[in-house]
Amino acid sequence: MSNTLNKLKKRLESQVGKAIADYNMIEDGDTLLVCVSGGKDSYTLLSILMAMEARAPVDFKLIAMNLDQKQPGFPADVLPAYFEKIGVDFRIIEADTYSVVKEKIPEGKTTCSLCSRLRRGIIYRTAKALGANKIALGHHRDDMVHTLFLNLIFGGKLKAMPPKLVTDDGAHIVIRPLAYCAENDIARYARGMGFPIIPCNLCGSQENLQRQKIREMMQDWDRRFPGRTESVFTALQNVVPSHLADNGLFDFKGLTLGSVVPEGDTVFDAPVLPPVTPFPLPVSSEDWNLSSIY
């Protein structure tokens, strides 16, 4: 491994370790079902979690899972061979969701919503069958920011993609350990590691996706104003309910002259923006900081 790639690996491990510590994603005795699609993000997720499994302060187990959706031309031999090569426990689940999606969704319409619902149900059932209490997904910082703008612009909601959530049936916890990782870093790491990338012919071939338009918007912003994605992600961690307009989060109706609001009245004050760094600082908890082992 080159020195540059090794430094990048350390950075990603530090960021993943900080996310795990900040949101208590992994605990002693956990069994994680790691969803691997064959894309750069999920390969990176599995690689970093395997590095942590050997040296983390708690004991946990990893099971890699791939859902073979029976897309035409899908190289079914690639992932089993890769999993065997790296020595991880794995399951390949076969389910022809591709045909279902193509049958139900009219030509020209986006397939993501139905496809994701079908995948989610299969993943949950698999986790239950294997006794996995946590499900690890490969969404990263950019995905979370893009989701915020998708919901804001197209859905009328201030809603993003949480780093940790409980499934609707209460049976599992979904975690996103790459929450602090930049997509560019993940792409560089995947290229350096030579992961056998498998393209998605279902969602990846749709040119008019709203998410793709958001991605292009953010890429343009970052080119013209570097650091915008980092700044937006920082905002997700610094919410001020009293300066929004949601009566469910702040009691605007009950606000009187005697009310004390911690955030104060900053309407006419210059905004104080937190410094933006290219990536989070090292893990505050020494337990999850793997950089000390190198």
Side-chain angles (χ1 to χ4, degrees), residues 53-113:
E53 182 184 23
R55 302 185 292 268
V58 298
D59 293 324
F60 62 93
K61 177 183 177 182
L62 299 176
I63 303 175
M65 171 202 167
N66 170 253
L67 173 57
D68 181 352
Q69 298 178 268
K70 298 304 176 182
Q71 296 182 24
F74 181 78
D77 59 318
V78 171
L79 281 167
Y82 177 76
F83 292 148
E84 290 176 357
K85 177 183 176 182
I86 64 176
V88 67
D89 187 11
F90 71 93
R91 301 291 188 279
I92 304 296
I93 308 299
E94 298 183 3
D96 190 1
T97 61
Y98 181 86
S99 295
V100 175
V101 170
K102 298 301 285 185
E103 176 186 348
K104 300 293 184 183
I105 303 299
E107 191 69 29
K109 299 294 183 179
T110 57
T111 61
C112 293
S113 178

Side-chain angles (χ1 to χ4, degrees), residues 259-272:
S259 299
V260 177
V261 180
E263 296 85 6
D265 176 12
T266 60
V267 174
F268 301 106
D269 297 337
V272 179

Side-chain angles (χ1 to χ4, degrees), residues 144 146-152 156-162 236:
M144 297 168 76
H146 296 167
T147 301
L148 171 69
F149 280 104
L150 271 172
N151 285 314
L152 178 66
K157 289 183 179 180
L158 273 177
K159 176 183 176 182
M161 182 183 284
L236 289 175

